[in-house]
Structures are given as structure tokens and as C-alpha cells.
Amino acid sequence: MKKSDSKSHPKSYTAYGCLVEGMAVCEGYSKAFQYLCDLSSFKDKVECHSVSGVTSGPHMWNVVAMEDGYNYLVDVTNCDEGTVRETLSGAAGIAAG
């Protein structure tokens, strides 16, 4: 997956751009992850939500509520080409959708 020059590519903000065209910004990654979660066999046991906010600028990521009672913050953008950082972090509580 290439992130470079993705902002100028309109489909980079969509799951399609991420999964089919291989270009995405954080919104495209988040929507693709949400789409794959929605298609998965664990969808009745796990809730996945796309959320947006501001980090060093506007950003989008996912919150996954697991059966263990923890909510996991999933930022697939952190696994982009050339970067390897923590993708999951957990916290007890309830995710509101």
C-alpha cells in the first residue's frame, strides 16, 4: 500500500481506493477495515466503529469492542509502507456507536 500522493487521488478516501487501487489516506484505511469487519464471521460477537478526530491533524481510525470487555483502538494507517508502529491498544469500557 502506498500512501504517498494519496491525498490528490479522490478514491483514496474510500474503501475501494484502499482495497482495489492500493492508495489510501487514513479515512480510506478506516473505511476498508470497517468494511472487512462487517463482512467477517465475528460480526455478531465484535463491534467495529470508524471514528474521526484530530491528532496532529484530522484523522480517522477504528474502535473495536471485543467480547473480553475491552475496546481496542485500531489505526491501520500505522501499518502503511515504511512504517511499523503499534496498531492495537486496549482499554476497558464501552464503545458508543
Side-chain angles (χ1 to χ4, degrees):
M1 178 71 60
K2 279 191 154 187
K3 191 167 106 179
S4 61
D5 298 325
S6 295
K7 288 183 180 183
S8 62
H9 193 276
K11 290 183 182 172
S12 66
Y13 295 87
T14 68
Y16 181 88
C18 183
L19 297 171
V20 178
E21 297 192 2
M23 294 196 81
V25 294
C26 59
E27 185 174 345
Y29 283 116
S30 179
K31 288 177 177 178
F33 185 81
Q34 176 77 52
Y35 174 73
L36 294 174
C37 285
D38 291 346
L39 291 177
S40 74
S41 60
F42 60 77
K43 65 182 173 188
D44 295 330
K45 300 175 184 177
V46 175
E47 291 182 39
C48 180
H49 306 278
S50 294
V51 295
S52 60
V54 177
T55 55
S56 57
H59 193 55
M60 186 176 271
W61 62 97
N62 301 87
V63 175
V64 179
M66 302 288 288
E67 289 181 293
D68 64 3
Y70 284 83
N71 296 315
Y72 293 86
L73 304 177
V74 180
D75 191 346
V76 183
T77 308
N78 284 337
C79 293
D80 202 342
E81 185 178 299
T83 62
V84 177
R85 290 180 259 163
E86 185 175 297
T87 302
L88 298 173
S89 57
I94 298 171

